[in-house]
Amino acid sequence: MDKEKINKVLTGFLLLILIISIMGVVYIIKHPKQSEYFSEFYILGKKWHGLRLSH
């Protein structure tokens, strides 16, 4: 194979890798992993006024 053909194959391969990498970054940004779930918890005192314990 001559150098020009090798150069075209490598350029195409690198372009493919670049496109796949960009698509992966976009996917990660659009679909972040939600790590922890929290719920709110209130302790009710006199006259049903709540004390908020979480944010």
Side-chain angles (χ1 to χ4, degrees), residues 5 13 21 24 26-27 30 32 36-37 45-46 48-50 53:
K5 189 167 185 163
F13 181 70
S21 300
V26 169
Y27 177 79
K30 293 282 187 177
E36 296 183 33
Y37 297 95
K46 294 179 183 178
W48 295 95
H49 289 110
L53 298 180

Side-chain angles (χ1 to χ4, degrees), residues 3-4 8 10 15 19 22 29 35 43 45 50 55:
K3 287 186 177 184
E4 186 176 327
K8 285 183 180 181
L10 289 177
L15 187 61
I19 291 170
I22 291 171
I29 291 172
S35 59
I43 296 178
H55 302 292

Side-chain angles (χ1 to χ4, degrees), residues 3 5 7 9-10 13-14 18 23 26-27 32 35-36 39 41-43 45 47 50-52:
K3 287 186 177 184
K5 189 167 185 163
N7 197 11
V9 170
L10 289 177
F13 181 70
L14 291 175
L18 179 65
M23 288 171 54
V26 169
Y27 177 79
S35 59
E36 296 183 33
S39 61
F41 181 73
Y42 295 88
I43 296 178
K47 299 183 183 179
L51 173 64
R52 188 174 184 181

